[in-house]
Amino acid sequence: MLTPESRGSLSEVVFRAMRTGETSGLAEAPPSDTAEDAQLTLWALYEQHYRGFEDVSGELEWDPQLIGVRRGLEQEFERTLRARMPEVPEPDGFAEKFFDFVADHDGPSLAAHVHRKATEEQVRELLRHRTIYHLKEADHTTWVIPRLSDRVKAAVMELQFDEYGGGDPNLLHAHLFVRGLEDSGLDSEYGAYINEAPLEVLEENNAMSLFGLNRRLRAASLGFLAAFEATSSGPSRRMAQGLKRLGFPESMIEYYTEHVEADAVHEQLAVRTICGALLEEEPDMHDDVYFGAWTSLDLEDRYAERMLKQWAA
Amino acid sequence: MSGPSGTDGMSGTGEPSADHPDVILCPGGPMLLRGDHVVQDEDGNEHRTWRPVSAVCRCGASAVKPWCDGTHKVLRKRGN
């Protein structure tokens, strides 16, 4: 993957510094022009810790100037996300209250649109946007593992092992998506569609990295995971039915049917054996679990609202 | 309970041993099965587990029985 096209003054200056290695002037980098400019810059800075860019030296992963820009952007992003948060439930009876919190959240549903109404072109656009996360599916949670107690760490691994295909690369969830993309005539190369990813997709991806890469936010990362899993089985079934209706290839349908079953397991693990266990050990992390959960629900709502409005559904 | 790390209930990092049952009954939800099992469904057909953990439907409304597909949450929301 190459560095993306810039979307404003900040991304232009930062991407040039990344490509040339001349980062010393970044202390005087201009402010971002728009939220999209800021989020794309942050996305690229995080991406250095995943697969990186062919046109950026690996030496720059921990460059103090680039880390400085990232810190500023992620502090602002975290403040924005926290300001959006509603009141959270009381800490007693965590698992049932958490499932209720997610069930009571009624956001617009892309899966319902895909199920009944979406055109093939709309679904292809959705799949292109989903590549930004699905091609590194589950990786953001892996960052958290060394930061946990034995009990919670083992519980996260029990879930992650399934995400990573139980050790079989052909069954790795991200790889199931690669097969689906290729059979659908879409580009499966990592990061291929970053230049068309809208603000909401960048925010969703950046929130996962923000929580995964900052140890103090480990509870938010696991709360994000729990809400993400708890809103997956039903929508995945509707996605599979919509893809079938539109005649998408079997491998793309299977990606979603696999998530119907897998995430019915994962939601129980994420809520009970992962977040539940974490909160037994560290009850003061209760609000951060909900911070992560809310962020997951809210950012998906924002993306769905944008796309449904764009498609005038 | 003792394990490979010793009989004092403590692991190498000084943390107490945790419960790790083979079967977990989730309140209002599925039965989680850890490890390899063969599950016989209501029609007598056998299904082998293949995930590290599998969820068996307990509400009877799953579309992918014997496995859970999260439908119990819809029933719960409707107040059934």
Side-chain angles (χ1 to χ4, degrees):
Chain A
M1 171 173 60
L2 298 173
T3 44
E5 290 164 14
S6 59
R7 297 193 201 179
S9 312
L10 180 64
S11 50
E12 191 182 332
V13 165
V14 172
F15 295 171
R16 192 190 309 128
M18 288 167 72
R19 284 190 295 262
T20 61
E22 289 167 17
T23 60
S24 56
L26 285 177
E28 284 85 43
S32 56
D33 298 333
T34 58
E36 210 172 320
D37 187 26
Q39 290 296 321
L40 181 69
T41 306
L42 184 56
W43 178 85
L45 290 169
Y46 282 143
E47 207 52 40
Q48 294 216 102
H49 305 292
Y50 291 91
R51 305 283 283 271
F53 300 98
E54 288 159 48
D55 53 349
V56 177
S57 163
E59 293 289 332
L60 294 178
E61 183 178 350
W62 298 102
D63 178 276
Q65 302 294 333
L66 290 172
I67 296 290
V69 175
R70 182 187 122 187
R71 284 290 294 143
L73 290 169
E74 63 183 356
Q75 281 166 347
E76 189 187 331
F77 186 39
E78 185 180 344
R79 274 196 300 272
T80 304
L81 294 176
R82 285 195 185 274
R84 293 174 182 170
M85 230 183 121
E87 270 195 52
V88 302
E90 294 293 312
D92 62 300
F94 169 72
E96 306 319 310
K97 287 216 168 94
F98 187 91
F99 276 120
D100 284 344
F101 178 78
V102 173
D104 291 343
H105 179 85
D106 262 329
S109 170
L110 283 170
H113 178 68
V114 169
H115 183 194
R116 301 272 185 216
K117 291 194 218 156
T119 65
E120 186 187 337
E121 204 33 60
Q122 289 170 352
V123 174
R124 295 176 78 82
E125 184 176 16
L126 174 65
L127 294 174
R128 293 197 298 273
H129 291 163
R130 294 297 196 202
T131 60
I132 309 302
Y133 172 60
H134 288 343
L135 292 178
K136 60 176 178 198
E137 186 169 335
D139 288 348
H140 64 106
T141 305
T142 305
W143 295 122
V144 186
I145 295 169
R147 292 140 188 197
L148 303 168
S149 70
D150 290 359
R151 182 182 171 205
V152 183
K153 178 185 287 181
V156 173
M157 277 308 299
E158 196 166 50
L159 189 159
Q160 291 294 87
F161 198 55
D162 201 31
E163 290 283 349
Y164 291 143
D168 181 345
N170 299 302
L171 297 178
L172 189 108
H173 282 180
H175 189 74
L176 297 179
F177 198 64
V178 165
R179 288 217 317 257
L181 289 171
E182 286 172 354
D183 292 347
S184 304
L186 291 162
D187 195 339
S188 66
E189 197 186 314
Y190 188 85
Y193 295 114
I194 187 60
N195 288 329
E196 59 174 286
L199 170 68
E200 293 78 5
V201 168
L202 296 171
E203 281 197 329
E204 223 169 358
N205 276 263
N206 285 343
M208 297 185 212
S209 300
L210 167 70
F211 298 156
L213 285 169
N214 286 277
R215 184 176 56 83
R216 72 189 164 83
L217 296 173
R218 60 197 179 279
S221 179
L222 298 180
F224 189 106
L225 167 74
F228 197 90
E229 299 287 359
T231 48
S232 175
S233 282
S236 290
R237 181 174 47 232
R238 303 191 85 171
M239 283 294 299
Q241 287 165 333
L243 291 167
K244 206 168 185 173
R245 171 178 67 80
L246 291 165
F248 273 82
E250 197 54 37
S251 54
M252 188 47 94
I253 297 167
E254 270 170 21
Y255 171 83
Y256 286 97
T257 51
E258 158 62 9
H259 282 80
V260 173
E261 215 178 281
D263 293 348
V265 180
H266 296 176
E267 66 178 353
Q268 298 296 337
L269 296 177
V271 173
R272 297 175 195 280
T273 64
I274 295 174
C275 289
L278 175 83
L279 291 177
E280 278 176 27
E281 293 173 1
E282 301 187 82
D284 58 332
M285 297 222 147
H286 176 264
D287 287 5
D288 262 6
V289 167
Y290 276 98
F291 172 44
W294 167 258
T295 300
S296 170
L297 300 171
D298 181 54
L299 293 181
E300 179 59 20
D301 282 357
R302 288 168 187 268
Y303 174 60
E305 273 161 24
R306 179 201 178 96
M307 297 316 294
L308 293 173
K309 192 173 165 194
Q310 181 185 312
W311 297 329
Chain B
M1 225 168 71
S2 67
S5 60
T7 54
D8 58 357
M10 300 290 280
S11 68
T13 51
E15 294 183 26
S17 291
D19 291 336
H20 193 68
D22 297 329
V23 179
I24 301 174
L25 300 178
C26 301
M31 170 172 68
L32 301 183
L33 292 179
R34 286 193 164 109
D36 298 329
H37 303 274
V38 175
V39 176
Q40 190 178 62
D41 67 22
E42 290 159 359
D43 302 321
N45 302 312
E46 294 191 339
H47 305 263
R48 182 171 287 281
T49 61
W50 59 276
R51 299 176 189 284
V53 184
S54 306
V56 179
C57 171
R58 290 205 301 156
C59 74
S62 171
V64 293
K65 281 197 283 190
W67 314 124
C68 170
D69 67 354
T71 301
H72 59 271
K73 293 186 293 183
V74 182
L75 302 181
R76 183 185 157 100
K77 203 175 176 186
R78 285 186 195 145
N80 292 3

